[in-house]
Amino acid sequence: MYMTQCLQRMLQQDPEHTATVFAGRRQTYRQFGRRVARLAGALQHLGMAAGDRVGMLACNSDRYLEYIMGVWWGGGVLNPVNIRWSVAEIVYSLDDCATGILIVDAHFAPMAEAIRQSARQAPLFIYAGDGEVPPGMLGFEQLIEQAKAVDDAGRGGDDLACIMYTGGTTGSPKGVMQSHLNLWSACMPRMVDMPPIRGGRLLHVAPLFHVAGMARALIQFLAGESHVLVAGFDAGQVLQVIEQERITETLLVPTMILALLAHPDIDRYDLGSLKRLTYGASPSAGEMVEQVLARFPDIELSHSYGLTEACPVVSSNLPWNHTPQARKCGLSRSVGRGGLGVNVKIVDPQGHEVPRGTVGEIIVRGPNIMLGYWNRPEETARALRNGWLYTGDAAYMDKQGYLFIVDRLKDMIVSGGENVYCAEVENVLARHPAVAQCAVIGIPHAQWGEAVHAVVVLKPGAKTDAEQLKAHCRAYIAGYKCPRSVAFRDQLPLSAAGKVLKRELRKPTL
């Protein structure tokens, strides 16, 4: 079970099938495979040995897919960098797992010097954009052109495939270690639940640095079908590409879907090719589901629940639970049932399974569950107990095994499909010299689902305002993590143990 086997199969069985389409560039699997083998050779020549980490800081493109397969073909390990991170966060992830090579595109090349100056050991930069290669970097295209193709390293099974950094309640990202077997075991059950569309053309809109975007790309490779990519989300461009490329399916977060539905020109496009839409990254999307099915009554609509540590899918709510009857009886509000090979239980704080209909914590076991957190044995031991992953999500299970999430045990906000950990934001706010105490919560937001809201107590005599605090946060963390609103109070509500009572902060003020 090695993830490059699907490319090997296509090179043998259907090499002239379209592999990628991006920005006017089209290539067959034969062309794609040739570039992958040469990229692997170039990376090995630059010093990448078996198990070494290679990062990519870039928007979606055909080169991003070449990076994924090329690193694995050469025996390396992926470190896909979150494109919404600040320089400090990027450097932390690179240093944490000793990433020696970083591929950047034109959009992120200007960050290279700051990364170089801040990193404990500066990575070797490869420029994967168009046009002239910036000073101090190697050219992605030149490397491929000059390199010799190498044989597939064939690393698989429990060999490390990637390290995907996710936010942590301790205030710094954690590197989730995923093996080839983890990824394979996550993708194959999804293909059983949702068999690939024959001749399907998948539009990649969700970012490939996200585990959901990468996993969906891997499923498309396993199916031997075509990838169409856009660099990022623009509603008008997405509608245009769906029509022009006859897209059959895509994966979107609810904020993207709502933007498409609200686009003033949506009725000008022929979207009849779109057969399937998968959505996720939202605690609740009931009204959105109604809007989608009103506009596309015949579409196969499915929802997935998961987390990076599960590579990522835990459960799926499939198209038959989006029918009028299923919506009427509430099944569309579920996050579905555990996938093939994934064991799911709801447990109490002592780890004992609770009766059906009783709220507890979701725990998961299966071959898709991560190897652990990079260099964090204590946090790994807390998350993985007796073979089970403790998700931190509160839910109940009905008699048919459907999961209904009711809250998050982890202190986390989902804003526009991105996870924001309150402790991380609070740690940054607390650095401001005027802040005595602070607490961060999520509040409802019409566009983003939830927005980051900070409640702040100032030090005696200190002065600041919301805009200054927002600017302070932007210097340390990504923009989507920064508070969108700030409230000032004389004191925070505390429990007898001195903990902030966030449930009190969430109550509406009169």
Side-chain angles (χ1 to χ4, degrees):
M1 295 182 182
Y2 57 103
M3 293 311 303
T4 51
Q5 189 275 336
C6 52
L7 178 54
Q8 296 270 20
R9 184 168 68 96
M10 287 304 293
L11 292 173
Q12 181 186 73
Q13 298 177 10
D14 198 2
E16 301 311 316
H17 189 71
T18 299
T20 65
V21 179
F22 175 74
R25 296 195 295 260
R26 298 173 183 270
Q27 59 182 335
T28 65
Y29 270 93
R30 186 189 305 279
Q31 293 167 323
F32 180 82
R34 185 181 300 120
R35 286 173 61 85
V36 163
R38 288 187 172 184
L39 176 60
L43 293 172
Q44 289 179 353
H45 182 72
L46 293 173
M48 182 188 75
D52 283 354
R53 275 71 64 196
V54 178
M56 186 156 188
L57 175 61
C59 299
N60 288 357
S61 73
D62 47 0
R63 290 171 181 147
Y64 209 116
L65 295 179
E66 291 166 359
Y67 153 73
I68 291 172
M69 285 293 169
V71 170
W72 286 340
W73 193 280
V77 174
L78 304 175
N79 176 12
V81 180
N82 190 324
I83 62 175
R84 301 182 72 178
W85 273 354
S86 66
V87 169
E89 291 164 310
I90 292 168
V91 169
Y92 174 86
S93 69
L94 299 177
D95 284 346
D96 186 58
C97 68
T99 298
I101 299 173
L102 180 62
I103 303 171
V104 297
D105 66 5
H107 187 82
F108 296 98
M111 298 176 72
E113 187 56 33
I115 294 171
R116 196 194 312 272
Q117 293 296 326
S118 301
R120 191 162 54 237
Q121 183 171 347
L124 178 67
F125 286 92
I126 297 175
Y127 177 69
D130 297 321
E132 186 175 351
V133 178
M137 298 188 190
L138 299 172
F140 188 90
E141 291 300 324
Q142 292 91 326
L143 287 172
I144 289 178
E145 182 181 349
Q146 297 168 7
K148 292 183 179 180
V150 296
D151 292 336
D152 189 351
R155 284 170 60 85
D158 289 329
D159 288 333
L160 188 59
C162 58
I163 301 175
M164 306 200 81
Y165 279 84
T166 183
T169 56
T170 57
S172 57
K174 295 177 290 190
V176 176
M177 297 187 292
Q178 299 170 342
S179 69
H180 288 263
L181 176 60
N182 289 154
L183 294 171
W184 180 280
S185 302
C187 293
M188 296 305 292
R190 178 66 177 176
M191 296 176 72
V192 172
D193 283 339
M194 295 283 286
I197 297 174
R198 185 76 172 172
R201 295 170 72 80
L202 173 72
L203 177 60
H204 290 287
V205 181
L208 290 169
F209 72 79
H210 259 303
V211 66
M214 179 184 290
R216 189 58 194 86
L218 296 180
I219 289 172
Q220 196 73 352
F221 276 122
L222 288 166
E225 300 295 356
S226 303
H227 304 256
V228 182
L229 306 100
V230 290
F233 179 73
D234 175 89
Q237 182 188 24
V238 168
L239 292 170
Q240 183 179 32
V241 172
I242 290 173
E243 177 184 74
Q244 290 179 346
E245 296 296 336
R246 309 308 296 160
I247 298 301
T248 58
E249 59 184 306
T250 190
L251 164 67
L252 301 172
V253 298
T255 51
M256 296 176 181
I257 296 172
L258 291 171
L260 290 179
L261 294 172
H263 195 278
D265 296 330
I266 186 171
D267 291 325
R268 293 176 50 191
Y269 293 97
D270 177 4
L271 308 177
S273 63
L274 194 61
K275 306 300 182 188
R276 183 179 292 169
L277 173 62
T278 300
Y279 66 97
S282 176
S284 176
E287 178 57 30
M288 183 213 73
V289 169
E290 297 300 326
Q291 291 184 44
V292 170
L293 292 175
R295 181 64 179 77
F296 303 99
D298 298 323
I299 201 166
E300 293 183 359
L301 192 61
S302 69
H303 175 251
S304 292
Y305 157 70
L307 59 166
T308 307
E309 289 86 342
C311 298
V313 177
V314 170
S315 63
S316 295
N317 207 20
L318 300 170
W320 52 78
N321 285 332
H322 291 79
T323 63
Q325 183 178 358
R327 302 202 305 278
K328 187 175 181 180
C329 69
L331 277 179
S332 62
R333 294 193 298 273
S334 164
V335 294
R337 296 189 282 195
L340 186 67
V342 181
N343 293 330
V344 182
K345 291 199 299 187
I346 308 294
V347 300
D348 62 20
Q350 290 72 44
H352 302 131
E353 189 168 9
V354 300
R356 298 296 175 93
T358 303
V359 174
E361 181 176 359
I362 300 173
I363 64 172
V364 188
R365 182 175 66 186
N368 59 311
I369 302 304
M370 67 169 182
L371 299 176
Y373 297 117
W374 179 267
N375 282 341
R376 295 200 180 194
E378 293 181 0
E379 292 192 44
T380 298
R382 284 196 293 269
L384 299 176
R385 291 176 246 167
N386 299 317
W388 292 86
L389 170 67
Y390 282 67
T391 68
D393 290 322
Y396 66 89
M397 183 184 291
D398 71 7
K399 292 180 179 180
Q400 295 177 293
Y402 285 99
L403 294 168
F404 291 82
I405 295 179
V406 298
D407 203 349
R408 289 184 294 273
L409 299 177
K410 295 178 180 178
D411 197 6
M412 187 181 76
I413 300 165
V414 179
S415 181
E418 295 282 356
N419 293 345
V420 180
Y421 290 84
C422 295
E424 185 178 8
V425 186
E426 290 163 354
N427 288 341
V428 171
L429 277 170
R431 298 182 201 174
H432 193 283
V435 173
Q437 291 179 293
C438 63
V440 169
I441 59 173
I443 59 175
H445 190 280
Q447 181 179 4
W448 303 112
E450 289 182 295
V452 180
H453 177 71
V455 182
V456 173
V457 177
L458 296 179
K459 294 176 181 177
K463 293 183 179 181
T464 188
D465 59 26
E467 292 307 313
Q468 290 177 348
L469 290 178
K470 292 177 187 179
H472 167 78
C473 290
R474 285 194 294 270
Y476 295 98
I477 53 177
Y480 71 88
K481 299 179 183 179
C482 296
R484 290 187 173 271
S485 57
V486 180
F488 294 90
R489 293 197 182 185
D490 293 331
Q491 60 184 14
L492 297 178
L494 301 176
S495 70
K499 293 183 178 180
V500 177
L501 296 172
K502 291 193 174 183
R503 64 178 180 271
E504 298 297 324
L505 296 178
R506 294 187 179 98
K507 290 181 179 180
T509 56
L510 299 177

